[in-house]
Amino acid sequence: PEIARALLIQPENVQKRIERAREKLSQFQLELESLRHPWMRQRTSSVLTVIYLIFNEGYLTTCNDHAIQQGLCQEGLRLARLLVENPLGQTGDTFALLALMCFHAARLPARTSEQGEMVLLENQDRRQWDSRLIAEGMHWMGHMAIDQSAGRYHLEAAIAWEHTRARNLQSTNWPRLVQIYRSLCRLVAGPAQILNLAIAESRAFGPQ
């Protein structure tokens, strides 16, 4: 059901896809050695999308029982870290996604109240943010510079970094965020990106 909600399709369709994928994998009888083949690089983009969906389901879960699922966030981080250990996975997009997830995961300790309710960014106690994950995110941001093409994950990591390095909501560099969101909207002009751009513009220049 969570996969279906993430992909905006019916759970029955997800089940059929999983069954077909299992059948195809059993036919291939893949060995670990084959995963080092250069054609795997062509699949990296799809792998990153899946990892990001796993993390997002944990960061803002579609389950009604709780606000976040830490286990899914940790699984997304684990898979991305595994990917960067493989030379075929060492791309700018992989480094950028890992930086993005580190910055988001760093805020998890302050993201819910003792009652399990969601705490908005402006009300979070930033002293609770995980400094080790922030440092790791900065590390991967340095690596993602090896790829000169600024893709979606690069821009989203830059946005997350601006929020992470600000002392509070008021000191956030909103004009800089407007620039990044405009670049992001040129790549991914979805409703969420456009709404976030509007919020950044209202913070930077006023509600007009």
Side-chain angles (χ1 to χ4, degrees):
E2 292 146 319
I3 296 172
R5 285 190 289 265
L7 298 179
L8 302 178
I9 61 178
Q10 294 298 318
E12 295 79 12
N13 292 338
V14 174
Q15 185 63 40
K16 291 177 181 177
R17 290 186 186 186
I18 292 174
E19 291 172 357
R20 285 197 298 267
R22 286 174 174 164
E23 183 178 354
K24 182 175 288 189
L25 285 172
S26 66
Q27 293 172 353
F28 280 149
Q29 295 182 336
L30 290 173
E31 298 179 0
L32 290 178
E33 189 63 32
S34 67
L35 297 180
R36 298 185 177 90
H37 196 279
W39 63 262
M40 289 298 296
R41 191 181 294 277
Q42 301 172 10
R43 304 292 300 161
T44 303
S45 176
S46 298
V47 173
L48 293 178
T49 299
V50 171
I51 291 175
Y52 197 22
L53 286 171
I54 291 171
F55 183 89
N56 280 341
E57 176 59 31
Y59 193 73
L60 187 61
T61 182
T62 55
C63 291
N64 296 325
D65 298 338
H66 26 63
I68 62 175
Q69 293 192 66
Q70 295 248 13
L72 288 179
C73 291
Q74 294 301 323
E75 179 66 1
L77 284 168
R78 186 185 73 85
L79 293 172
R81 288 167 178 151
L82 281 175
L83 193 58
V84 298
E85 292 178 4
N86 189 309
L88 292 177
Q90 293 172 2
T91 68
D93 281 343
T94 305
F95 295 135
L97 178 60
L98 189 46
L100 167 63
M101 293 193 299
C102 283
F103 292 141
H104 282 328
R107 303 182 206 158
L108 288 176
R111 203 157 184 265
T112 53
S113 66
E114 293 181 358
Q115 292 74 33
E117 298 174 341
M118 191 71 72
V119 178
L120 297 177
L121 178 63
E122 58 190 287
N123 298 323
Q124 290 177 14
D125 183 357
R126 302 189 179 210
R127 295 170 298 181
Q128 295 183 24
W129 290 1
D130 191 325
S131 59
R132 292 174 299 177
L133 281 172
I134 293 173
E136 183 183 351
M138 293 170 62
H139 169 77
W140 296 120
M141 278 194 77
H143 278 67
M144 77 184 194
I146 67 172
D147 192 331
Q148 298 302 316
S149 59
R152 173 181 181 177
Y153 301 130
H154 292 71
L155 295 172
E156 291 193 21
I159 291 168
W161 169 240
E162 288 297 334
H163 285 299
T164 302
R165 73 190 187 102
R167 295 190 307 275
N168 49 51
L169 196 72
Q170 291 70 32
S171 64
T172 303
N173 190 344
W174 292 106
R176 172 63 178 152
L177 283 172
V178 169
Q179 293 177 346
I180 303 173
Y181 270 120
R182 285 175 178 170
S183 297
L184 182 61
C185 284
R186 285 193 287 270
L187 287 177
V188 189
Q193 289 76 23
I194 296 172
L195 177 59
N196 283 326
L197 171 59
I199 294 171
E201 287 181 334
S202 70
R203 292 282 185 177
F205 311 122
Q208 295 82 2

